[in-house]
Each structure stands twice: as C-alpha cells, then as structure tokens.
Amino acid sequence: VSNAGVGMAGPLECQSLAAMQSLMDTNFFGLVRLVKEVLPDMKRRRGGHIVVISSIMGLQGIIFNDIYSASKFAVEGFCESLVVQALRFNVAISLVEPGPVMTEFETKLYEEAERADYSRTDPETAEIFTNLYLKSSKDVFSSLGQTPEDIAEHTLRVIEAPRPPFRHQTNVAYTPMAALKHADPSGALITDAFYKLVFKYDTVLRFSL
C-alpha cells in the first residue's frame, strides 16, 4: 500500500519551484520508487496487489490545488499505463480515490495557508483564495469529509476483493463530478459548472453543504 503524500494549496505565483519539486518527489516519485522495488518480485511470483492511495483530485483538478492535482494526475496516469502489463503477470493495481479526509494533514495545510504571504500574487487572486476558497473548503470538509478509519475500511475492502477494482472512489458525493467530466470530452461542461459554483453560486454551494 502506497500512502505517502504531502499537500499544497494556494495561488501558483506564491509557491516556489523547490516546494513543487519536493511535493512531486513524495507524491509521484515516491510511488514510482516503491513500485520499482516490489513489482519485479511480484512478476516472478506471478501474483501480487499494489494499492495506491490517490485522490479525487487525480480525476478532476480543483481550483488552487494546481500542483497537488498535477501530482495525483501523474499517479493516475502512471498506474493506468502500468495496470495492463501488471495483469499479464497476475498482479493487481488498485487506486483508492478519497475526497476530503479529516486528518491533521488537512488541518495543518489550511492553517499554513491562512498564515502565508500572498504578496507575490495580485490582490484579486489573494482575495479569492483567502475569503472564498478557504471558507468554502472548511464547509466542504465539515460536511463531506470522511474519517481516516472510513478510508481504511474502504482500502481493506479493496485489498480483500476477489477481483480487485482498478479504481475505487470512497465518497459517493463526488460521483456526479466524475460523471460530468466523462459526459463532455471537450471539458466545457465541467469547467462551466465549477466556474459557476465558485464565482456565481458560492453562497448556494455553502448553504447546500
């Protein structure tokens, strides 16, 4: 089970390339290093199961999570490319895709975001992030967030499945989001929906949450 991960949220201009590279080194290359270690022996034995804790943000990018989403997209693409070869050797690969999870990981991330310096971006972007995104994120976590124990139970079900699924989303609240993306290959539908939720109907969004 590959579960290492770090987060990053905020305006792109305020994040250093060094911090971005460090995040990718953990979230993506950490997984690659692990798979390179375990896969050869699994192929020799013609049996094994690699379970990767990904994220719903590996399926859909979320505003102000540009680099974190990119790392999870990389994880998803890596596993999607590898799974067919792995199946030839009777090795299963499963992606567990949670939405928000209520842990110290997220609490620390948002506490740091509230204290960060946003002078390197324009005032409008800083305002959107601090007064719109951070407030909405707290509402999302309090209403849709899962516990670590819940994610562990989902992961256990994936491990014990007679035919392990390639993808397993842990939160049904995010099923419509994934469906919207697949419904319109041009991307216009999901982009328009998210734009309106963030910039036009944010009050309705928070109320509904």
Side-chain angles (χ1 to χ4, degrees):
V1 177
S2 175
N3 188 42
V6 292
M8 179 183 288
L12 184 67
E13 307 95 305
C14 302
Q15 297 162 347
S16 70
L17 281 174
M20 296 178 194
Q21 289 168 336
S22 177
L23 180 145
M24 291 296 293
D25 190 51
T26 298
N27 291 9
F28 176 62
F29 287 107
L31 167 64
V32 172
R33 286 191 289 268
L34 176 65
V35 172
K36 277 174 65 69
E37 288 294 323
V38 301
L39 185 61
D41 186 59
M42 289 181 175
K43 287 165 78 173
R44 280 191 294 269
R45 290 189 282 114
R46 290 194 172 264
H49 189 187
I50 298 169
V51 180
V52 181
I53 307 301
S54 180
S55 169
I56 198 70
M57 284 195 229
L59 299 176
Q60 172 62 49
I62 302 295
I63 186 172
F64 291 121
N65 284 270
D66 322 89
I67 306 305
Y68 180 78
S69 290
S71 73
K72 292 301 184 179
F73 266 75
V75 164
E76 295 272 334
F78 173 71
C79 292
E80 193 170 281
S81 298
L82 192 61
V83 67
V84 174
Q85 179 202 148
L87 285 172
R88 176 71 177 180
F89 294 88
N90 195 37
V91 176
I93 296 176
S94 296
L95 288 157
V96 177
E97 300 162 334
V101 185
M102 297 176 290
T103 67
E104 291 181 6
F105 176 98
E106 281 77 13
T107 302
K108 182 181 178 183
L109 178 66
Y110 287 109
E111 286 176 352
E112 290 176 351
E114 288 175 343
R115 297 193 303 266
D117 175 18
Y118 298 113
S119 60
R120 283 174 291 175
T121 190
D122 60 277
E124 184 177 358
T125 300
E127 173 77 11
I128 292 168
F129 178 68
T130 55
N131 291 330
L132 189 62
Y133 172 81
L134 287 179
K135 289 178 182 177
S136 295
S137 293
K138 288 179 181 178
D139 292 336
V140 167
F141 269 85
S142 63
S143 60
L144 299 180
Q146 294 176 274
T147 65
E149 291 78 12
D150 194 16
I151 304 303
E153 288 291 337
H154 277 273
T155 305
L156 181 61
R157 290 203 292 272
V158 168
I159 292 170
E160 292 181 335
R163 297 185 64 184
F166 175 56
R167 284 191 169 95
H168 176 81
Q169 293 173 25
T170 68
N171 194 326
V172 295
Y174 287 87
T175 302
M177 183 176 77
L180 267 183
K181 185 168 184 176
H182 288 292
D184 177 16
S186 77
L189 189 61
I190 189 72
T191 302
D192 183 62
F194 267 96
Y195 182 88
K196 287 176 178 174
L197 275 176
V198 172
F199 294 113
K200 291 189 176 182
Y201 307 130
D202 59 293
T203 304
V204 175
L205 172 63
R206 285 200 293 272
F207 178 77
S208 66
L209 288 168

